[in-house]
Amino acid sequence: MPVTPRETLKTLPAYAAGKPPTPAEGLTPYKLSSNENPLGPVPAVAEAIAAVDTLHRYPNPTAESLRAAIAETYGVDAEDVVAGTGSLGALTQIINTFAGTRSDGGQDEVIYAWRSFEAYPIVVRTAGAKDIMIPVTQDGRHDLEAMLAAITENTRVILLCTPNNPTGPALTHTEVAEFLDRVPEDIVVVIDEAYHEFVRIEDPVDSLALCRSHPNVAVLRTFSKAHGLATLRVGYSIARQEITQHLRVVTVPFTVSTLGETAAVASLQHLDQVEDRVEELVEERQRVRAALLRTGWQIPEAQGNFLWLPLGEKSLDFAHEAGVQALAVRAFDGDGVRVTIGEPEANDRLIALCTTYTRAACAELTE
Ligand SMILES: *Cc1c(COP(=O)(O)O)cnc(C)c1O
């Protein structure tokens, strides 16, 4: 008999990581498939990392200096911050703490919007919990009413992704506050804010206020996107001690390396420069979206560092055409294509491609 994994593994979708671009004659290749920050980290990060001389030592077990820097930057209590290996690590801690298979064999339920972040089903199902996926609306928004209606006595966690990856729209503060008023207090509500620095809406979610006022709210943040530190795997959750006391039980020590911690702290110390870079990308996002809207594309509100092209059955074909132009984009078969805002030249090439890409395809979509 060969070794046998847990049954739940059969239910897991494979995480299709964004692919690198294929080179094409005379074209600089660009990777627009993983929502990475094309501008990279601020210069102080490289200096800080170069000065690390403790590679042979284990890191601080709970990333103390990182938590202190986050506390100071955002006016939260360092005790309320739990570091993770990326915010995906922080999410895994939360799911493993609150949702799984019960001793009677029943499954806890985790509600989230779909389509949303591809990693959610993997994290939730691996924990042994059951995921309840609530379709996003036509314009890529969370259907909060339907999510509330999906709550049962088995619901343990609800995930809100704002802005939603890959569709783009952000929730407003009013929406989330009213939603929380209607969620039973024993259900953990996670607000995944991987892209919060990029949000430019009226009434943006003040998630830190919400986790102060609600003992069942946890906020997820990351250094992978705005801070341009994806490879270092640094993220964290912020929540009250009603939640964090349990997270600390499941959290394995040394989740963040000394390099990651050092880089993240240096980046927070230069937050103004980080914000300038984010602003550049936001302006590019608005430029690209406006250009595509002008040529007849229908693109949902985009509040992250990416755009959603709702191409339906044409998604793989479009991704192929982008590939021919040495642009790697992320296609979700039968649904749409997510394109990261990249370097201006990459964005220009995307606009050109979208402008020429069978206008007929657009026409079909709008019918
Ligand atoms: C990119 C992303 C993350 C997390 O990334 P980490 O690199 O693990 O911090 C989390 N949530 C969403 C919605 C994302 O798009």
Side-chain angles (χ1 to χ4, degrees):
M1 275 278 277
V3 294
T4 318
R6 289 160 58 217
E7 256 176 59
T8 186
L9 268 72
K10 290 196 205 99
T11 71
L12 302 188
Y15 186 88
K19 293 190 180 59
T22 338
E25 186 70 36
L27 291 173
T28 310
Y30 291 106
K31 184 175 177 215
L32 308 178
S33 53
S34 296
N35 290 353
E36 292 151 343
N37 186 332
L39 306 172
V42 298
V45 164
E47 283 166 41
I49 289 183
V52 172
D53 61 358
T54 53
L55 293 183
H56 56 308
R57 303 292 181 196
Y58 278 101
N60 180 285
T62 65
E64 227 167 308
S65 60
L66 172 63
R67 291 189 297 112
I70 292 164
E72 194 183 316
T73 307
Y74 296 109
V76 297
D77 192 334
E79 283 297 302
D80 294 346
V81 180
V82 181
T85 307
S87 58
L88 208 39
L91 173 67
T92 306
Q93 295 163 8
I94 294 173
I95 298 297
N96 285 344
T97 300
F98 293 101
T101 305
R102 296 187 298 269
S103 47
D104 67 0
Q107 280 183 301
D108 296 329
E109 292 172 1
V110 178
I111 298 172
Y112 53 87
W114 198 253
R115 181 170 293 278
S116 187
F117 188 32
E118 268 193 292
Y120 292 160
I122 300 176
V123 174
V124 170
R125 293 178 202 173
T126 301
K130 183 175 180 195
D131 46 0
I132 308 293
M133 301 156 113
I134 306 297
V136 294
T137 62
Q138 192 71 33
D139 52 357
R141 293 177 184 278
H142 282 46
D143 186 342
L144 293 174
E145 279 303 324
M147 292 176 83
L148 284 168
I151 294 174
T152 71
E153 59 186 12
N154 294 324
T155 307
R156 305 266 39 97
V157 180
I158 301 175
L159 308 178
L160 301 179
C161 185
T162 177
N164 189 48
N165 172 11
T167 58
L171 294 164
T172 65
H173 187 78
T174 310
E175 275 177 317
V176 177
E178 287 177 2
F179 181 80
L180 289 174
D181 282 345
R182 297 167 65 191
V183 173
E185 283 169 11
D186 63 337
I187 296 175
V188 175
V189 177
V190 177
I191 308 177
D192 184 343
E193 291 196 309
Y195 305 94
H196 83 102
E197 296 92 341
F198 297 92
V199 173
R200 299 289 182 273
I201 56 171
E202 266 177 50
D203 194 25
V205 178
D206 183 351
S207 60
L208 301 183
L210 293 173
C211 62
R212 240 171 252 125
S213 56
H214 293 73
N216 61 328
V217 169
V219 172
L220 289 180
R221 298 231 175 132
T222 178
F223 286 88
S224 298
K225 309 285 162 58
H227 291 268
L229 295 173
T231 207
L232 289 174
R233 315 300 309 125
V234 190
Y236 57 97
S237 63
I238 303 178
R240 280 167 44 163
Q241 58 106 23
E242 286 89 338
I243 289 177
T244 56
Q245 61 177 323
H246 304 299
L247 298 187
R248 292 191 216 286
V249 177
V250 305
T251 301
V252 283
F254 314 122
T255 49
V256 177
S257 71
T258 302
L259 285 182
E261 181 169 17
T262 305
V265 169
S267 196
L268 283 176
Q269 285 166 346
H270 298 82
L271 194 58
D272 50 337
Q273 292 174 30
V274 173
E275 285 167 352
D276 288 346
R277 284 155 188 253
V278 166
E279 188 54 34
E280 257 183 66
L281 294 171
V282 167
E283 281 166 22
E284 276 295 283
R285 171 184 86 201
Q286 285 159 349
R287 178 177 78 87
V288 178
R289 182 163 181 269
L292 299 194
L293 291 179
R294 272 197 301 277
T295 55
W297 284 73
Q298 301 213 318
I299 297 170
E301 177 192 17
Q303 293 295 331
N305 64 344
F306 54 89
L307 298 178
W308 176 245
L309 312 178
L311 280 153
E313 296 306 319
K314 296 230 166 6
S315 300
L316 293 186
D317 178 62
F318 179 89
H320 173 78
E321 292 302 322
V324 171
Q325 298 291 318
L327 299 177
V329 298
R330 181 71 152 272
F332 299 93
D333 193 8
D335 201 353
V337 175
R338 189 193 68 199
V339 188
T340 306
I341 296 300
E343 297 80 350
E345 183 184 326
N347 303 334
D348 286 342
R349 200 182 300 162
L350 175 77
I351 294 171
L353 170 66
C354 287
T355 308
T356 54
Y357 185 78
T358 53
R359 282 166 187 275
C362 284
E364 276 169 38
L365 282 170
T366 47
E367 263 162 27

